[in-house]
Amino acid sequence: MATNGSNGHSNHRHPSNDAFDHVVPLLINGKEVTTDTTFDVTSPVTGKVIWKSSSASKQDAIKAVEAAQAAFPAWSKTKPSYRRDILLKASDIMKKRFAECVEYMDIETGSQDNMSAGFNVPSSIEQLKDVAGRIIGVTSYVPVIQDEGKSAIVYKEPYGVVFGIAPWNAPYILGFRAITYALAGGNTCVLKGAELSPRCFWAIGSIMQEAGLPDGVLNVIFHRPQDAAEVTSAIIEHPFVKKISYTGSTATGSIIAAQAGKHLKPVLMELGGKAPAIVLKDADLQKAATQCALGAFLHSGQICMATERIVVHSSIAKDFANALKTACDQIFSNEGPAPILVTALAVKKNKKLVEQAVSKGANIVTGDVNAKESTDTRMRPIVVEGVTKDMDMYHIESFGPTVSIVTFETEEEAVEIANDTEYGLSSSVFTENLAAGMRVAKQIETGAVHINGMSVHDEPNLPHGGAKKSGFGRFGGSAGIEEFLRLKTVRWSD
């Protein structure tokens, strides 16, 4: 993830008057649908309503599913090169609409340039290219079977209608991810975007339409928070829906998985995290401190892979804490307004975690839990040392700009602390000894381990997913397409 020397602040752009004046529409069967029922979209940057969004009803959701089902027979029979060319064209279109997409993300989510323009939009462009390039490589195979005079072929077939649910915090990467792998495999999709950033998800549908995706192959909806259970359940339960992917909180993921399980439907889940960063005693402290600061506080910590606990050898703990404070001061300047979180509740949650830890004996290395900011959605990074198991901060995913330092004596203890969580999405290890780094990495129970790099890392050619309560299945790379293909064995006599 490029930071380009950013100090963590950006000049938030203001959307064009056209965006303000129009209700964000749904996309159903190739048509933009503006509903009578709408909801306000409030920017965390200003605290003011920026536009209204259409809100899908249960009936709208069913229409979206039916449109996807109607489009499936023709789409599933398209040539791989045809699907490839649409994704490549979408990549080119997103590049042309780069500033527009950045504008929507900044105003709807409060993102900064190093998250939107520096990472989210360019990575989505690359994702489209990467998936397009893999489509031709999806092939059936002919196994050798045991009976003479018999033959078989194993086909890879699309499931049908795939229901993808994506969150607000990285709307383009996670929104496109919910559909591109499925579409590449010949599936059709219903994408449900987060109500906090509907214009971003509308842009995904708009780009795919402009690229020539046939009507009904992709349908994009969003809804009021109070309609979530009804709309989501209607789609999961619908007999046309054959697979579900969900990226979001572990609590909601558990509900969705249970509901899908009731109907015996497979799910792909990428859920919450509590990423540890282990700093061994031979680590380059400057490098470790810089990477931990970035991993903890990019996008105000509102990333599922964000570093939440830094596990440091006791002999270097003091020097590391000082280096981390310096890194935070250099990267996330105290000049200007504090970084933005998407809601005031997120700020309250993080302050409460810090206050409870301090009340139990922890110390603040840098940051001020009592600081008064210009809006209640702003908060500066806080580093807390002396965090122990009896503190909520040790266990709970903060999803915000707070990180804790925990010390260890032995390598075994470091691994034990890193694994002492219900989550298992991402992690880091810092050391100048590659053998030690590999040895520790193999013992950490996460879907990814980054040696001498921050825990926040995602690129389209690598499998991405978690262990334990961080989910199951994989987006990314060839594994991402395989997730949306099922095998069919056809056997015959010669």
Side-chain angles (χ1 to χ4, degrees):
M1 179 182 295
T3 60
N4 299 321
S6 170
N7 65 1
H9 302 292
S10 69
N11 296 318
H12 283 95
R13 305 161 183 82
H14 294 285
S16 65
N17 288 333
D18 284 347
F20 274 114
D21 293 341
H22 290 86
V23 175
V24 183
L26 313 176
L27 176 64
I28 299 176
N29 201 24
K31 295 180 177 60
E32 293 194 338
V33 177
T34 302
T35 60
D36 292 333
T37 301
T38 61
F39 60 90
D40 292 339
V41 181
T42 301
S43 173
V45 180
T46 62
K48 297 178 180 179
V49 174
I50 44 174
W51 42 61
K52 291 183 178 293
S53 174
S54 294
S55 181
S57 64
K58 178 180 178 180
Q59 290 70 32
D60 293 322
I62 291 172
K63 287 178 182 177
V65 172
E66 290 173 343
Q69 177 63 27
F72 174 68
W75 178 252
S76 64
K77 293 179 176 65
T78 55
K79 299 295 184 183
S81 58
Y82 177 75
R83 301 197 294 273
R84 176 200 64 197
D85 290 349
I86 288 177
L87 293 184
L88 289 174
K89 189 172 182 182
S91 178
D92 290 339
I93 292 167
M94 191 170 193
K95 190 173 183 179
K96 292 176 183 176
R97 295 173 63 175
F98 192 101
E100 174 195 352
C101 291
V102 169
E103 182 178 60
Y104 295 152
M105 184 172 170
D106 282 354
I107 195 69
E108 284 193 325
T109 74
S111 61
Q112 301 152 357
D113 278 344
N114 57 11
M115 185 63 183
S116 55
F119 178 55
N120 224 266
V121 177
S123 290
S124 299
I125 291 168
E126 288 303 312
Q127 180 194 131
L128 287 161
K129 292 179 184 176
D130 186 88
V131 177
R134 294 178 188 276
I135 293 175
I136 299 294
V138 177
T139 57
S140 301
Y141 60 93
V142 178
V144 176
I145 61 174
Q146 61 186 14
D147 296 334
E148 288 291 334
K150 305 288 185 183
S151 298
I153 187 169
V154 180
Y155 290 104
K156 295 180 180 179
E157 297 183 336
Y159 279 86
V161 178
V162 172
F163 178 32
I165 307 173
W168 63 268
N169 60 322
Y172 299 121
I173 291 176
L174 304 182
F176 273 112
R177 189 180 75 174
I179 63 169
T180 50
Y181 297 101
L183 293 175
N187 302 275
T188 55
C189 297
V190 175
L191 171 63
K192 188 171 84 75
E195 74 278 2
L196 295 175
S197 54
R199 186 75 70 178
C200 293
F201 289 99
W202 166 83
I204 291 174
S206 174
I207 288 167
M208 296 304 295
Q209 262 198 309
E210 190 178 342
L213 195 69
D215 293 351
V217 174
L218 170 63
N219 304 272
V220 182
I221 64 170
F222 12 83
H223 52 69
R224 301 178 301 176
Q226 59 264 43
D227 297 331
E230 181 181 38
V231 171
T232 306
S233 296
I235 299 176
I236 292 173
E237 295 169 0
H238 201 291
F240 288 163
V241 173
K242 297 300 190 290
K243 185 162 184 171
I244 298 105
S245 76
Y246 171 78
T247 300
S249 73
T250 295
T252 302
S254 177
I255 295 169
I256 290 170
Q259 206 165 8
K262 180 181 177 182
H263 297 276
L264 294 176
K265 296 185 180 184
V267 292
L268 165 56
M269 299 241 151
E270 198 249 88
L271 308 174
K274 188 73 178 172
I278 296 177
V279 184
L280 299 180
K281 60 183 177 181
D282 71 330
D284 179 326
L285 291 189
Q286 184 59 52
K287 180 191 295 181
T290 298
Q291 293 298 305
C292 285
L294 290 169
F297 302 129
L298 279 172
H299 205 20
S300 296
Q302 299 169 118
I303 305 172
C304 52
M305 301 170 282
T307 301
E308 295 253 350
R309 290 187 298 166
I310 306 173
V311 187
V312 186
H313 193 274
S314 61
S315 65
I316 59 169
K318 184 175 181 179
D319 290 339
F320 175 80
N322 290 333
L324 183 60
K325 182 181 186 303
T326 300
C328 288
D329 290 343
Q330 291 175 344
I331 300 169
F332 304 97
S333 171
N334 285 325
E335 296 178 6
I340 298 168
L341 278 75
V342 74
T343 66
L345 286 175
V347 173
K348 290 179 181 178
K349 174 185 177 180
N350 276 265
K351 288 187 174 183
K352 184 178 179 181
L353 289 172
V354 173
E355 288 167 350
Q356 196 253 12
V358 170
S359 73
K360 288 179 171 286
N363 300 303
I364 294 177
V365 174
T366 185
D368 181 2
V369 73
N370 296 313
K372 302 297 182 184
E373 305 297 347
S374 57
T375 67
D376 59 4
T377 56
R378 293 181 182 272
M379 180 178 176
R380 298 187 190 278
I382 297 178
V383 178
V384 182
E385 65 180 358
V387 174
T388 58
K389 290 185 180 184
D390 64 336
M391 302 173 187
D392 291 343
M393 196 172 184
Y394 183 94
H395 302 282
I396 294 173
E397 180 186 21
S398 70
F399 210 67
T402 55
V403 68
S404 57
I405 296 176
V406 183
T407 60
F408 70 91
E409 299 296 333
T410 66
E411 189 176 289
E412 291 75 19
E413 185 185 6
V415 172
E416 182 181 344
I417 293 170
N419 289 336
D420 187 19
T421 172
E422 62 183 6
Y423 299 106
L425 186 58
S426 185
S427 59
S428 295
V429 180
F430 294 93
T431 177
E432 293 297 282
N433 184 331
L434 181 58
M438 293 295 291
R439 183 173 63 246
V440 172
K442 289 179 180 179
Q443 299 176 72
I444 300 176
E445 298 167 348
T446 55
V449 184
H450 305 284
I451 298 175
N452 293 327
M454 62 176 162
S455 59
V456 177
H457 185 89
D458 188 14
E459 56 184 277
N461 61 311
L462 294 176
H464 182 78
K468 300 190 285 190
K469 287 190 176 181
S470 288
F472 36 79
R474 293 294 182 266
F475 292 104
S478 297
I481 300 179
E482 296 289 343
E483 278 283 350
F484 297 98
L485 295 168
R486 58 187 175 197
L487 302 180
K488 176 187 283 184
T489 300
V490 178
R491 181 176 170 274
W492 68 89
S493 299
D494 295 341

